[in-house]
Amino acid sequence: MTANEAERALAELDRLLNDPDVQMDPMRVWTLADRLSGSVPATAQPTSQTSR
């Protein structure tokens, strides 16, 4: 996924989740989230650290 495609997918996801005039489409939300999750570089993903 190119940066432009990711930006468009993120904008659509934002609209679906936050615009009260847009009807919720759960399948589209999950599809976009799945596509976007694969486009994040490994170095940008948060890591889980546990303090003991």
Side-chain angles (χ1 to χ4, degrees):
M1 174 180 285
T2 67
N4 285 337
E5 290 171 332
E7 188 175 316
R8 284 192 302 270
L10 189 56
E12 182 180 354
L13 183 59
D14 182 59
R15 246 187 341 274
L16 285 167
L17 294 173
N18 296 310
D19 188 341
D21 295 328
V22 174
Q23 183 176 358
M24 174 60 76
D25 181 353
M27 187 55 106
R28 185 65 182 154
V29 169
W30 285 110
T31 300
L32 288 167
D34 184 51
R35 287 182 61 207
L36 288 165
S37 69
S39 69
V40 178
T43 58
Q45 293 178 350
T47 59
S48 175
Q49 297 179 354
T50 306
S51 303
R52 292 180 191 212

